[in-house]
Amino acid sequence: MGLIVQKYGGTSVGDVARIKNVASRVARWKGEGHSLAVVVSARSGVTNELIARAKEVKAQPSDRELDVLLAIGEQETIALLAMALHDIGVPAVSFTGAQAGIITDDVHTKARIRQFRPGRVAEMRKCLGRGEVVIVAGFQGETEDGRVTTLGRGGSDLSAIAIAHALGAESCQIYTDVDGVYTTDPRIVPGARKIPELSYEEMLEMASAGSKVMQARSVEFANKYGVRFEVRSSMNENPGTIVKEEDDGMEQVVVRGVSLDRNQAKVTVAGVPDRPGVAARLFGVLAAASVNVDMIVQNVSASGVTDISFTVSRDELAKARAAAEPLVREVGASGFSAREGIAKISVVGIGMRSHGGVAAGMFEALAAAGLNIQMISTSEIKISVIVDEANAEKGVRAVHDKFGLGG
Ligand code: ASP
Ligand code: MG
């Protein structure tokens, strides 16, 4: 039987008992005759603790040193899981990201995987061939010249998809604390339903719209290389959600899900002179500072000046401010302001390509719930709006209801 890559997230390996639970699950799959490569996250909370500790030492720590620190979390888990497997008689060997041959670019704290060192992949294959379980630390790699890098928050998902691709795995299972992808967060809407299958594109839009289930970049990678995967729970045996290439049946459903992203901040640069090149400068400095800008709105200019608003994730607000504020003075804009109490609600579905009226339906539902829309953006298969954070859950419930997604 073929090779399975399994990825266990932070909650699934949250303490020693849970690590032992993962070991026995792995042993069971192995007992059925599969080869297994297992990718793990840090115990839940550990990465946050490490970041907090770094910030106690220095408010803006060096990204290079932060990566050295953050890589510890996953390294703890691979060693403990290997020991737990040994304890129940299963041969297993751990690999750090670098030992697994994962080479990244040098953008510390959110590096991209460039390639695998073939010699290291061969080494993992050799271990698998000897019947050993290969355990790989998620979220980390190294630059060509050997500096430790991490792959962005939630990056163990990316490690798993990339390892599945590099090893040519037969399947890739992403184990988490929910047993699949739901039409919306069941904590907000108890009647939310599990989605049996969705396309890479939908999963990607949901992930970038704030569905916490998987890291967006990992889905991008899966789409690019055609790595099918299944999201399932490490606490039960329920079938999960399969994410794969689009098929004909999928367009029947217009709206697949509703996502909520609270990790949003809105920046407004007011009184910007309306002339060619100003927006290019503004977003140029943000890009140079590696700030990801999401929505952008520019008002119609009256009297030669305009306001430009954009959204960034809250944790990048300080960086955005540091990059953009000097420019505000330089181009003669009148002000820079930032707001955190906002959230983004998105509806996603590939059926939107062939069905109209989704935007109208969404806006009607929000209006009926009394929500004011501050910004709107759309893609071919997604509509997102920014609303006040205080009303966001109410908005999600209204929109989920409107499209009949509940059980
Ligand atoms: N430990 C990392 C994080 O918390 C990576 C991961 O869990 O996927 O972001
Ligand atoms: Mg995760």
Side-chain angles (χ1 to χ4, degrees):
M1 263 182 271
L3 170 69
I4 300 178
V5 170
Q6 298 186 332
K7 180 257 170 177
Y8 292 91
T11 318
S12 305
V13 295
D15 55 31
V16 166
R18 289 193 168 172
I19 290 173
K20 288 187 173 178
N21 168 55
V22 167
S24 65
R25 295 181 72 101
V26 169
R28 186 149 25 90
W29 283 90
K30 186 137 193 324
E32 287 168 11
H34 299 281
S35 288
L36 279 130
V38 180
V39 176
V40 286
S41 292
R43 287 183 294 114
S44 56
V46 167
T47 308
N48 287 342
E49 270 166 41
L50 292 169
I51 292 173
R53 194 164 306 162
K55 291 195 168 160
E56 267 174 47
V57 176
K58 187 169 191 313
Q60 294 266 18
S62 128
D63 284 344
R64 180 192 190 281
E65 303 311 329
L66 199 54
D67 275 351
V68 175
L69 184 69
L70 296 192
I72 296 173
E74 273 69 13
Q75 241 166 274
E76 178 195 13
T77 321
I78 54 171
L80 293 177
L81 179 58
M83 292 171 196
L85 282 162
H86 298 164
D87 188 49
I88 54 175
V90 178
V93 54
S94 68
F95 289 76
T96 64
Q99 288 170 336
I102 298 174
I103 313 234
T104 72
D105 63 19
D106 58 4
V107 183
H108 284 286
T109 76
K110 46 182 172 186
R112 284 184 181 275
I113 296 179
R114 283 218 172 123
Q115 68 199 71
F116 278 75
R117 287 192 205 283
R120 300 309 304 167
V121 174
E123 179 62 25
M124 288 191 281
R125 286 221 170 88
K126 223 188 282 168
C127 295
L128 291 166
R130 285 197 295 260
E132 294 164 355
V133 174
V134 163
I135 303 169
V136 181
F139 179 54
Q140 53 175 267
E142 67 170 349
T143 60
E144 196 72 63
D145 60 354
R147 276 177 285 148
V148 177
T149 50
T150 63
L151 310 178
R153 296 308 304 270
S156 298
D157 292 331
L158 177 57
S159 309
I161 302 280
I163 295 271
H165 177 62
L167 292 173
E170 188 173 88
S171 74
C172 179
Q173 303 167 335
I174 307 288
Y175 287 93
T176 174
D177 51 351
V178 292
D179 59 2
V181 181
Y182 278 72
T183 50
T184 195
D185 186 340
R187 283 166 303 191
I188 300 174
V189 182
R193 281 184 304 195
K194 195 194 302 179
I195 306 170
E197 277 187 5
L198 73 169
S199 71
Y200 293 123
E201 228 187 314
E202 288 170 318
M203 183 73 189
L204 183 57
E205 291 282 21
M206 285 186 193
S208 53
S211 292
K212 293 273 156 31
V213 179
M214 272 185 82
Q215 188 209 33
R217 286 171 57 183
S218 66
V219 186
E220 235 168 76
F221 191 102
N223 185 22
K224 185 162 170 195
Y225 295 102
V227 183
R228 262 188 203 212
F229 60 89
E230 182 180 5
V231 179
R232 34 194 304 173
S233 166
S234 60
M235 313 297 166
N236 60 44
E237 306 299 331
N238 298 343
T241 296
I242 294 175
V243 183
K244 58 182 193 119
E245 53 297 323
E246 188 175 327
D247 68 34
D248 293 343
M250 285 182 176
E251 282 212 19
Q252 305 296 320
V253 179
V254 183
V255 172
R256 188 84 58 197
V258 183
S259 305
L260 173 62
D261 189 350
R262 290 191 177 83
N263 180 25
Q264 293 277 306
K266 182 166 91 174
V267 174
T268 301
V269 183
V272 181
D274 193 12
R275 54 166 199 262
V278 175
R281 293 281 309 283
L282 174 61
F283 293 102
V285 295
L286 292 166
S290 297
V291 173
N292 280 322
V293 174
D294 183 13
M295 289 193 204
I296 301 174
V297 173
Q298 177 174 335
N299 290 341
V300 179
S301 127
S303 66
V305 292
T306 181
D307 294 347
I308 299 179
S309 294
F310 57 90
T311 58
V312 297
S313 67
R314 264 179 220 178
D315 30 296
E316 293 195 337
L317 182 57
K319 252 202 250 179
R321 182 188 291 277
E325 251 178 347
L327 196 79
V328 168
R329 285 187 291 277
E330 199 186 309
V331 300
S334 62
F336 178 99
S337 59
R339 265 202 70 201
E340 298 203 0
I342 57 159
K344 181 171 70 172
I345 300 175
S346 308
V347 295
V348 173
I350 50 176
M352 274 183 222
R353 282 193 211 125
S354 45
H355 298 77
V358 179
M362 181 183 193
F363 302 161
E364 272 163 29
L366 292 169
L371 268 75
N372 185 38
I373 299 171
Q374 301 177 21
M375 292 168 105
I376 301 171
S377 78
T378 62
S379 78
E380 206 186 7
I381 66 159
K382 179 176 74 176
I383 300 165
S384 300
V385 300
I386 294 289
V387 298
D388 257 336
E389 189 183 13
N391 293 322
E393 293 199 355
K394 193 168 154 199
V396 169
R397 281 191 285 271
V399 173
H400 192 265
D401 231 41
K402 178 82 180 179
F403 293 105
L405 296 172

